[in-house]
Amino acid sequence: GAWPVVRPGAGRGSYSALLTLRVLERFNVSNNVMTFSTAMNLSFDGMQCEVDFVAWLGGHRLGGEHQRPPQLVIGEAKSLGQGELITAPAIAKLKSIAAKLPNAVVVISVLRDHFTRAEKELLEKFVNWGRRINVHGEPTNSVLLLTVHELMKDHLLSETWKTLGGAHARVADYEHTRTLM
């Protein structure tokens, strides 16, 4: 299909948030409806935070027997721009929110084809923090990073990643594309 031309600042980040939600809905293999709200203001511990979206993805069955509960997703979506779009204050905000919501998945997306070197350094620390193991032996707050490669895909993530090759192709199998975990 045709894609809108996006210029920096247009839509105040709504394009990247909506494209991110589109990708998330396709992870929902149970065919349950995804519920979401954009531009959510959260308040806790005397702190006010805005997240670009909050979504619930319906639970799904594993191996036809076990049902997973709905998945809470917290999202930070950035549109086009120069320099660092992902900053230390933004990561600190997401960490505070995720700490209050164990088992929530944190999604960070940028409407460009890469994260900068400085962003990668911040993200690596945040992803490792999110991987702390919970009582079920799973990451407490999984982190999903998306770029324009995933946001603008027309078909399966696995095909997008196979086409990109390298590290992307190594995670293009079914196990890495059927759930947010």
Side-chain angles (χ1 to χ4, degrees), residues 61-62 105 113:
R61 296 194 181 282
L62 296 175
V105 172
D113 65 357

Side-chain angles (χ1 to χ4, degrees), residues 24 53 61 63 70 86 88 90 122 163 173 177:
L24 292 175
F53 65 85
R61 296 194 181 282
I86 306 301
L122 291 170
T163 302
D173 64 6
T177 60

Side-chain angles (χ1 to χ4, degrees), residues 1-3 22 26 149-157 160:
W3 293 100
R22 177 179 165 261
R26 293 185 179 182
H149 295 296
E150 294 83 15
L151 299 180
M152 298 298 237
K153 72 174 183 57
D154 284 326
H155 302 292
L156 300 172
L157 274 179
T160 299

